[in-house]
Amino acid sequence: MAASRTESIPADHGRVEDVDVSAEMEESFLEYAYSVIYSRALPDARDGLKPVQRRILYQMADMGLRPDRGHVKSARVVGEVMGKLHPHGDTAIYDTLVRLAQDFALRLPLVDGHGNFGSLDDGPAAARYTEARLAPAAIALTENLDEDVVDFIPNYDGQFVQPDVLPAAFPNLLVNGATGIAVGMATNMAPHNLVEVVAAATHLLAHPDATLPELMEFVPGPDLPGGGVIVGLDGIKEAYASGRGTFRTRGKVAVESLGPRRTGLVITELPYMVGPERVIEKIKDAVNAKRLTGIADVVDLTDRNHGLRLVIGIKTGFDPDAVLEQLYRLTPLEDSFGINNVALVNGQPQTLGLKEMLRVYLDHRIQVVTRRSRHRLARRQERLHLVEGLLIAILDIDEVIQVIRGSDDGEQARTRLIDVFELTQLQAEYILELRLRRLTKFSRIELENERGTLLTEIAQLEELLGSDTRLRAQVARELDAAADAYGTPRRTLLLNGGPVPSRARAAAPRELEIADSPCRVFLSATGRMVRAELGESTLGGGGVVAPTRRSAHDAIRAAVDSTTRGSLGAVTSAGRLVRFTPVDLPSVPGNSVQAAAGTKADQYLGLSGSEQVVTIVSLDGPDPLALGTLQGIVKRVSTAELAPGKPSVEIIALKPDDRVVGAGPASDDAELVFVTSDAQLLRFRADAVRPQGRSAGGMTGIRLTPGEGAVSFHAIPMAAGAVVVTVAGSTSALAGADAGSGKVSAFDEFPAKGRATGGVRAHRFVKGEDTLTLAWVGTAPRALGVDGAPQHLPDAGAKRDASGTPLDATLTAIGAAIS
């Protein structure tokens, strides 16, 4: 049985009425639901605005807050809107005003805010502290309101009027999207690119039967204010077809070097309405809960000048791509957006696809242009009527004056003018109000010119109203003008990678830590390092690694077998050994090594100034390390002396202005080779140099001519097929002006001599040559030119003291081919 309520009313005030509580609640709830749906939560499909948004823009336009005028206090705007148009609180009005000004919320902001209008992580300042005016795009939404383009309705108390809808010179619903929760329904529309939406709208104007795939050629997907990446387009296609769908967005992330041997993830764009503080908080929670590993630190470097920049440091030994996958799964770095295109069409909420939204807008815009054209036609016809009356009066001005002077009052004068000159009442009234200065000859010319202009404009407007084709063409021109004025390039990248797995799906996660597997580390002749992954069979079979194609920088100075987490040493020109592990080096498959894919060794190791990497060595090898310097000093140091545990150690005490020019492991039966700038080569056995401690300065390796220095130093094992490559040039020639000459001779052509002697001639200088610019000793030589481009070397077999062959191009480095 339905509950009931009895209202007790004093007898002198009338009767007592029984009311059914359930019926009363149903009626009240329906009225409330109706008010929320139609007056608060859902946008109109024509202008894409909710009532409060429309009232704010209209009131600001009525206040004259145009983009070319100064800002006014936001509190003043809120007060005007609340007092005249919006029957709700100031908080709701100001919150709406703020959102209209936020460039991270709207793709095309409609309010130009001055002051703190908030961010993705912080709210705005109070209305008394901020200022606002209309943005240029808002003028396109509110223009021509004085030309009867839309209907006006009374405000909440009937004292003022407001537009039922704005003219909207561009499809605001699609461009800026919308969000709102009503009773029993909600709306959530994604922003789009203005240029793309206008292109689709104009295509639909010209081709009313266009299909959805045709329209999606112009609008491939949403364009979010903050950019980011949309992964998978299936949900977008579904939403454009039915009005409902879901797509995933990801932040824009790049793997970058943050310093010596330190890699990080740099985030420059985030998913829609996701702030950096929220991402940082979720990362910290996941790290503290031990659900996310491999994160060293998180630093927010966002500022007003450079925009968003969130830097996530990756611990050594962790795969940045694998860590990024975990970040997508555990943090808002990947987010979903559910499209629910619910809007009011003819006062009724409907779920709309892309084509339906464009069609509703275009119908509205055609009606706006039609009403505006009719209004302009009527105004010009009225003006033409008055101008023709004035011309009649000016032609017979004396008689007009006589008629007026002979009349007793204004009513009689108007009646006599109508009778005498066959004028209408409106023309006669206008003549009576005529000022005497309009009676000049010049005024007559002006009126005749004005009449001609009016006749032309009237004919054009009548043609426009009389042709549906012309009307649609006019709408298309105005849409194109809006796109040209307010359009911007696309910000969001679309990746059609198929359906994206659910975040909750228990798929096997990618291994975060890089496995300690066999690898080979290469140092190129141009100073780049790369790590080649080797399988067990590859390593056991001699470790053969071959490039799939020849490319720049594929000339090797050193190659060392190790493991991914092994310890290697880099010998520098300053006489230091810097320890490093190859785990963070760029990795390539073992069968496609290209040194060009590597990273610069000096940057990877954090070297400063002119210090460069000379070679890389294994710290576990049995052979001592041999070094040769510019001043002809040679030294051997045992690997046991390399101070395990220290990140870098000095392995030779260099004299002033001296530097290491070459290094490599050298057993007692290896040969040490110096080549000097005056083309002398000295080779001697390594056992002639006894190993010394790290702090020792070495001993004389070659006796140098005053003013000359060692060009290169090599430790050559007892292997057949070694050659000597020398390149001669001139100290007085401009860099790159003369390629010089080159020569390739067999290493066996050079006799061995004792340590600390002067060596033998390795290259005969010809006229214009006075120095060796490059020298190299080894097998399978490969020469590089400017920018690391491979260059041709002369054929091997030249006599040791012969002159060189002119080169085709300047050589910058020589090394061994990858093998």
Side-chain angles (χ1 to χ4, degrees):
M1 181 175 179
S4 63
R5 178 185 67 191
T6 302
E7 295 184 353
S8 297
I9 303 177
D12 57 344
H13 284 81
R15 57 191 175 81
V16 176
E17 181 179 356
D18 291 335
V19 178
D20 186 351
V21 174
S22 61
E24 176 72 16
M25 291 295 294
E26 181 179 350
E27 181 179 352
S28 299
F29 183 78
L30 287 176
E31 290 180 359
Y32 166 74
Y34 180 89
S35 174
V36 171
I37 291 173
Y38 297 100
S39 301
R40 300 175 71 174
L42 298 184
D44 193 298
R46 295 171 292 179
D47 61 5
L49 298 172
K50 301 177 186 178
V52 62
Q53 296 173 327
R54 188 179 302 113
R55 289 163 183 164
I56 290 173
L57 296 180
Y58 170 68
Q59 190 60 46
M60 292 181 71
D62 189 61
M63 294 169 64
L65 303 182
R66 300 178 59 84
D68 56 352
R69 300 184 181 178
H71 296 79
V72 302
K73 286 288 186 181
S74 299
R76 177 182 168 189
V77 176
V78 171
E80 288 287 322
V81 173
M82 183 171 59
K84 293 183 177 180
L85 303 177
H86 197 63
H88 300 286
D90 59 336
T91 301
I93 299 174
Y94 183 56
D95 289 345
T96 303
L97 176 68
V98 166
R99 190 175 190 277
L100 291 175
Q102 292 174 333
D103 57 2
F104 55 83
L106 299 187
R107 186 61 179 81
L108 193 61
L110 302 176
V111 170
D112 178 11
H114 182 67
N116 179 15
F117 275 77
S119 67
L120 287 166
D121 296 309
D122 297 311
R128 61 184 178 274
Y129 298 121
T130 61
E131 299 177 341
R133 65 184 177 188
L134 290 177
I139 300 301
L141 293 181
T142 58
E143 64 182 351
N144 306 132
L145 279 173
D146 57 346
E147 295 187 273
D148 190 35
V149 291
V150 295
D151 293 332
F152 278 74
I153 57 176
N155 71 329
Y156 60 88
D157 62 1
Q159 295 187 28
F160 302 95
V161 294
Q162 59 185 337
D164 180 51
V165 66
L166 293 184
F170 61 86
N172 180 61
L173 183 64
L174 275 166
V175 172
N176 280 324
T179 181
I181 300 176
V183 179
M185 62 184 66
T187 184
N188 198 33
M189 301 186 183
H192 290 77
N193 186 274
L194 173 61
V195 177
E196 296 175 355
V197 171
V198 166
T202 54
H203 180 77
L204 187 59
L205 265 177
H207 306 86
D209 297 328
T211 63
L212 179 61
E214 291 176 356
L215 295 178
M216 287 190 65
E217 292 181 3
F218 301 97
V219 184
D223 187 21
L224 307 176
V229 180
I230 293 178
V231 184
L233 304 183
D234 292 343
I236 295 174
K237 295 176 182 177
E238 181 182 354
Y240 285 169
S242 65
R244 297 178 185 271
T246 302
F247 63 87
R248 289 195 180 276
T249 62
R250 288 179 173 178
K252 186 176 181 181
V253 187
V255 179
E256 296 185 9
S257 175
L258 304 182
R261 289 164 285 176
R262 189 163 181 261
T263 304
L265 302 173
V266 179
I267 304 170
T268 54
E269 296 176 2
L270 287 173
Y272 185 46
M273 300 304 291
V274 173
E277 290 186 8
R278 180 180 165 197
V279 174
I280 293 174
E281 181 182 357
K282 292 296 183 181
I283 291 176
K284 290 181 178 178
D285 291 344
V287 171
N288 292 335
K290 300 187 183 304
R291 292 184 295 130
L292 179 62
T293 57
I295 303 294
D297 54 20
V298 183
V299 182
D300 187 2
L301 301 180
T302 302
D303 59 35
R304 294 181 181 272
N305 296 325
H306 301 93
L308 176 69
R309 185 173 176 85
L310 192 62
V311 180
I312 302 175
I314 304 299
K315 292 181 179 178
T316 300
F318 284 80
D319 186 351
D321 293 327
V323 174
L324 180 58
E325 288 185 8
Q326 295 298 307
L327 288 172
Y328 285 145
R329 187 173 62 88
L330 299 173
T331 72
L333 196 57
E334 177 181 289
D335 202 5
S336 62
F337 188 100
I339 297 177
N340 188 22
N341 296 332
V342 178
L344 297 177
V345 180
N346 297 325
Q348 300 295 324
Q350 294 185 17
T351 303
L352 306 172
L354 175 63
K355 186 174 181 179
E356 288 74 23
M357 284 190 287
L358 289 173
R359 181 169 291 158
V360 170
Y361 169 77
L362 291 175
D363 291 343
H364 167 64
R365 193 60 192 170
I366 290 173
Q367 185 180 15
V368 166
V369 174
T370 301
R371 292 182 59 164
R372 185 188 65 197
S373 300
R374 288 174 180 168
H375 177 82
R376 291 178 177 177
L377 177 60
R379 297 290 83 78
R380 280 154 180 75
Q381 288 174 338
E382 291 174 2
R383 179 59 184 170
L384 178 62
H385 184 62
L386 295 178
V387 168
E388 289 176 341
L390 285 176
L391 286 172
I392 293 174
I394 289 177
L395 288 174
D396 297 315
I397 190 61
D398 294 334
E399 187 175 355
V400 169
I401 294 175
Q402 184 178 357
V403 168
I404 295 174
R405 293 187 62 185
S407 302
D408 295 334
D409 53 27
E411 182 66 29
Q412 184 182 17
R414 181 169 57 251
T415 303
R416 292 183 61 188
L417 286 173
I418 292 173
D419 295 338
V420 174
F421 298 102
E422 298 181 354
L423 301 174
T424 65
Q425 184 173 349
L426 185 62
Q427 289 174 326
E429 187 68 34
Y430 192 70
I431 291 173
L432 288 175
E433 299 294 334
L434 185 66
R435 294 185 178 184
L436 293 178
R437 63 182 180 184
R438 296 295 305 273
L439 303 180
T440 64
K441 180 179 179 181
F442 185 70
S443 294
R444 176 183 172 184
I445 296 174
E446 286 181 339
L447 289 172
E448 290 177 345
N449 291 336
E450 184 180 359
R451 179 175 63 179
T453 301
L454 289 171
L455 289 172
T456 301
E457 292 177 351
I458 289 172
Q460 292 174 347
L461 289 169
E462 288 176 341
E463 288 181 4
L464 180 64
L465 291 170
S467 171
D468 182 69
T469 302
R470 290 179 179 271
L471 198 61
R472 289 176 174 270
Q474 178 64 25
V475 172
R477 282 194 294 271
E478 294 180 6
L479 282 171
D480 288 336
D484 293 339
Y486 313 115
T488 54
R490 166 171 280 275
R491 298 174 185 172
T492 302
L493 177 65
L494 302 176
L495 295 180
N496 189 10
V500 181
S502 171
R503 294 161 64 96
R505 184 177 299 175
R510 181 174 174 179
E511 187 65 34
L512 293 179
E513 293 192 61
I514 300 174
D516 191 18
S517 56
C519 69
R520 177 169 293 173
V521 180
F522 292 90
L523 173 67
S524 77
T526 52
R528 303 178 74 91
M529 287 197 297
V530 68
R531 169 169 57 91
E533 299 175 354
L534 305 178
E536 294 291 340
S537 60
T538 304
L539 193 61
V544 178
V545 180
T548 56
R549 61 181 176 85
R550 311 295 287 183
S551 69
H553 308 282
D554 289 344
I556 300 304
R557 186 179 298 168
V560 180
D561 287 335
S562 178
T563 62
T564 306
R565 297 178 180 275
S567 181
L568 300 179
V571 180
T572 74
S573 58
R576 293 194 305 143
L577 184 136
V578 180
R579 289 178 174 273
F580 71 96
T581 58
V583 64
D584 289 327
L585 282 173
S587 175
V588 295
N591 61 351
S592 61
V593 173
Q594 295 170 10
T599 184
K600 291 184 177 180
D602 54 348
Q603 294 182 359
Y604 180 76
L605 298 173
L607 305 184
S608 59
S610 59
E611 187 176 12
Q612 297 178 341
V613 177
V614 174
T615 191
I616 54 175
V617 295
S618 173
L619 300 180
D620 300 326
D623 298 329
L625 177 65
L627 302 93
T629 74
L630 175 69
Q631 296 180 4
I633 301 298
V634 65
K635 179 183 180 180
R636 291 173 76 204
V637 56
S638 173
T639 54
E641 292 281 336
L642 299 183
K646 291 187 178 181
S648 67
V649 292
E650 184 182 82
I651 55 176
I652 184 172
L654 294 175
K655 296 179 181 179
D657 298 326
D658 200 5
R659 59 182 174 85
V660 176
V661 296
S667 60
D668 286 346
D669 57 357
E671 298 231 18
L672 305 183
V673 184
F674 276 100
V675 182
T676 66
S677 58
D678 57 346
Q680 297 296 308
L681 184 147
L682 174 64
R683 55 180 287 196
F684 53 91
R685 282 178 57 90
D687 57 9
V689 182
R690 61 178 177 82
Q692 296 177 302
R694 288 187 297 106
S695 60
M699 58 189 71
T700 302
I702 183 172
R703 188 175 66 250
L704 297 174
T705 304
E708 304 296 337
V711 176
S712 67
F713 171 81
H714 302 271
I716 305 299
M718 296 300 291
V723 296
V724 177
V725 182
T726 53
V727 178
S730 172
T731 55
S732 61
L734 295 175
D738 184 8
S741 64
K743 180 174 69 69
V744 180
S745 304
F747 182 61
D748 294 337
E749 287 276 331
F750 298 86
K753 297 183 67 176
R755 180 185 63 81
T757 60
V760 296
R761 184 161 59 187
H763 194 115
R764 183 186 299 274
F765 294 143
V766 297
K767 183 178 181 181
E769 297 177 346
D770 58 5
T771 186
L772 286 185
T773 57
L774 289 175
W776 181 85
V777 182
T779 58
R782 182 172 173 81
L784 303 178
V786 180
D787 298 330
Q791 296 296 333
H792 177 71
L793 282 173
D795 295 334
K799 295 295 184 181
R800 67 171 179 84
D801 59 348
S803 58
T805 302
L807 298 174
D808 297 331
T810 301
L811 303 185
T812 58
I814 303 175
I818 297 176
S819 61

